[in-house]
Amino acid sequence: MAAPPWRLVLLPGDGIGPEVVSAVRPVLERMSWEFESRTGRRLEVQEAAIGGAAIDRFGTPLPEETLRHAQSADAILLGAVGGPAWDRLPPDRRPESGLLTLRRMLGVYANLRPARALPGVRSPLRPEIASGVDVLLVRELTGGLYFGKPRRQWVRQDGLRAALDTMTYDEGEIRRVARVAFAAARERRGRVTSVDKANVLACSRLWREVVTEVAQEYRDVRLDHQLVDSATIRLVQHPAEYDVLLTENLFGDILSDLLGGIVGQIGALASASLGAEGPGLFEPVHGSAPDLAGRDVATPAGALLSFALACRYAFGAPDLAQFLTEAVDAVLDEDAGLGTRAFGDRVAQHFWARSHVALT
Ligand code: IPM
Ligand code: MG
């Protein structure tokens, strides 16, 4: 009996999300044969609604059906969520809450956000500073301020509005994501920089303790700790020094945009969110960019590279991931000012040329 197909669920979402996800389709089409011959399984693709698009159609940012599809998939490729049309909704009904609930329900606690100097992409930093940047940010994704309870806004007795968010971490949450970072460093240049705010926050002090303990299991990896404020300036001044950056949820959100600024193109950054088991969630680091939506101008490089990460981490096809990454690099390097759709088509051509040569 033939092996069951791999299942990929596409969640286009809002703004430029549908365009960048559509740009992956030509690659999927070109790839289907290679995919099957290398992994022994067909790739089955489904699409479902999330975010504002799901609110408009189903009244909720994460419909039951979407969650069911996602949970039974092998990988999920998400475009982006959010936009001005839904900005006035209460926090738990906004597009973003669909994504956050999905991350949480899938248990994808480790968010891998690689950032490297890209061919054809100019960094705003001086070339001697920006060249050779190759960082893997490992962001804790299912804890911290994003999920802590209680959380609310209210009017105090003195009539002033007040708000409360809660930051909590337990050692299990810290240990498991730290292990992901150390294991990744072993495959790279053997350095982990853990970023926290241990001079102020209790959560950060626990973070530092636990990460230091985990380092004992990885004695071949060098660990150092940096405070988030000084890490930020150091990243801008010496980005090439960093190998693996390990940090909690909110700091990771901020630092990953900073990395986008450093390499000069946040649209080209990809991410993989992985849990202990179950499907991985793959998404570009960029947001829904409402101002660019519907104009065929957004770069789909981040979405394409996110699919490359899916090939590596979800489908066990590192060679396809490599071809696809090289294909995206080649198109970035051509710097032809391609629109979203044309970019995807061109990547599919490059991908096919590479994988086809390799197979025959
Ligand atoms: C990201 C995004 C999300 C986050 C938003 C859309 C909820 O900024 O993936 O970096 O804050 O995690
Ligand atoms: Mg972000």
Side-chain angles (χ1 to χ4, degrees), residues 81-82 96-97 99-100 103 111 113 139 141 146 249-250 252-254 256-257 271 283-287:
V81 295
E96 289 82 357
S97 92
L99 172 58
L100 296 179
R103 288 174 177 170
N111 180 218
R113 298 190 156 183
R139 168 188 178 193
L141 200 63
Y146 275 61
N249 204 344
L250 180 63
D253 179 44
I254 299 166
S256 55
D257 272 37
S271 83
E283 38 173 328
V285 173
H286 64 69

Side-chain angles (χ1 to χ4, degrees), residues 271-294:
S271 83
S273 305
L274 308 171
E277 53 193 16
L281 174 62
F282 301 85
E283 38 173 328
V285 173
H286 64 69
S288 62
D291 48 324
L292 304 182

Side-chain angles (χ1 to χ4, degrees), residues 79-143:
V81 295
W86 308 281
D87 267 354
R88 303 179 72 90
L89 292 171
D92 57 330
R93 292 184 39 220
R94 287 172 62 104
E96 289 82 357
S97 92
L99 172 58
L100 296 179
T101 309
L102 181 65
R103 288 174 177 170
R104 181 87 166 178
M105 300 290 280
L106 294 173
V108 288
Y109 59 81
N111 180 218
L112 276 46
R113 298 190 156 183
R116 61 193 163 96
L118 292 161
V121 174
R122 194 146 29 141
S123 165
L125 301 180
R126 287 201 304 277
E128 66 271 24
I129 292 179
S131 75
V133 171
D134 182 3
V135 186
L136 176 68
L137 175 80
V138 178
R139 168 188 178 193
E140 199 291 326
L141 200 63
T142 53

Side-chain angles (χ1 to χ4, degrees), residues 10-357:
L10 303 178
L11 302 178
D14 310 319
I16 58 171
E19 291 165 75
V20 299
V21 168
S22 288
V24 179
R25 290 237 180 228
V27 173
L28 295 174
E29 278 153 30
R30 281 278 173 122
M31 185 186 261
S32 66
W33 183 78
E34 269 89 2
F35 198 89
E36 198 172 335
S37 65
R38 276 161 203 270
T39 69
R41 292 163 68 173
R42 259 184 338 103
L43 180 63
E44 193 180 281
V45 183
Q46 272 182 331
E47 201 171 300
I50 195 164
I55 295 175
D56 292 349
R57 279 173 58 200
F58 305 104
T60 161
L62 183 65
E64 281 279 319
E65 193 186 84
T66 299
L67 183 60
R68 241 193 355 258
H69 281 318
Q71 284 172 324
S72 63
D74 296 292
I76 299 142
L77 181 65
L78 183 135
V81 295
W86 308 281
D87 267 354
R88 303 179 72 90
L89 292 171
D92 57 330
R93 292 184 39 220
R94 287 172 62 104
E96 289 82 357
S97 92
L99 172 58
L100 296 179
T101 309
L102 181 65
R103 288 174 177 170
R104 181 87 166 178
M105 300 290 280
L106 294 173
V108 288
Y109 59 81
N111 180 218
L112 276 46
R113 298 190 156 183
R116 61 193 163 96
L118 292 161
V121 174
R122 194 146 29 141
S123 165
L125 301 180
R126 287 201 304 277
E128 66 271 24
I129 292 179
S131 75
V133 171
D134 182 3
V135 186
L136 176 68
L137 175 80
V138 178
R139 168 188 178 193
E140 199 291 326
L141 200 63
T142 53
L145 276 168
Y146 275 61
F147 296 96
K149 295 263 167 49
R151 156 208 307 267
R152 65 195 168 99
Q153 198 194 104
W154 74 102
V155 181
R156 260 183 353 211
Q157 277 185 340
D158 61 8
L160 294 182
R161 282 169 300 157
L164 169 72
D165 288 288
T166 302
M167 182 167 188
T168 71
Y169 270 109
D170 67 41
E171 60 178 301
E173 290 174 303
I174 301 168
R175 189 166 289 118
R176 63 187 184 179
V177 72
R179 287 193 173 125
V180 171
F182 280 94
R186 249 186 199 161
E187 307 296 314
R188 295 171 48 98
R189 303 194 301 280
R191 281 198 59 181
V192 170
T193 303
S194 175
V195 175
D196 61 38
K197 188 72 186 172
N199 54 348
V200 177
L201 300 175
C203 281
S204 283
R205 280 193 287 275
L206 178 64
W207 183 274
R208 210 174 259 224
E209 274 171 40
V210 175
V211 171
T212 305
E213 286 161 21
V214 172
Q216 302 305 308
E217 302 165 20
Y218 299 84
R219 291 184 178 268
D220 49 329
V221 175
R222 209 171 100 209
L223 167 68
D224 68 310
H225 303 276
Q226 290 180 9
L227 297 173
V228 64
D229 47 354
S230 59
T232 305
I233 189 159
R234 195 143 190 99
L235 264 167
V236 172
Q237 291 176 336
H238 305 281
E241 262 180 19
Y242 292 87
D243 180 13
V244 175
L245 272 169
L246 165 65
T247 194
E248 63 88 43
N249 204 344
L250 180 63
F251 296 161
D253 179 44
I254 299 166
L255 291 180
S256 55
D257 272 37
L258 178 65
L259 288 171
I262 288 170
V263 304
Q265 168 88 276
I266 192 163
L269 294 194
S271 83
S273 305
L274 308 171
E277 53 193 16
L281 174 62
F282 301 85
E283 38 173 328
V285 173
H286 64 69
S288 62
D291 48 324
L292 304 182
R295 295 167 42 202
D296 194 43
V297 293
T299 174
L304 287 154
L305 291 171
S306 297
F307 180 62
L309 292 175
C311 289
R312 187 179 308 278
Y313 292 110
F315 303 132
D319 41 359
L320 295 183
Q322 184 61 30
F323 294 141
L324 182 51
T325 304
E326 287 170 15
V328 172
D329 283 7
V331 178
L332 285 172
D333 203 23
E334 285 170 5
D335 190 26
L338 297 177
T340 315
R341 224 169 315 145
F343 193 105
D345 289 338
R346 190 86 187 111
V347 167
Q349 282 167 10
H350 273 283
F351 171 81
W352 192 78
R354 281 176 172 70
S355 56
H356 191 70
V357 169

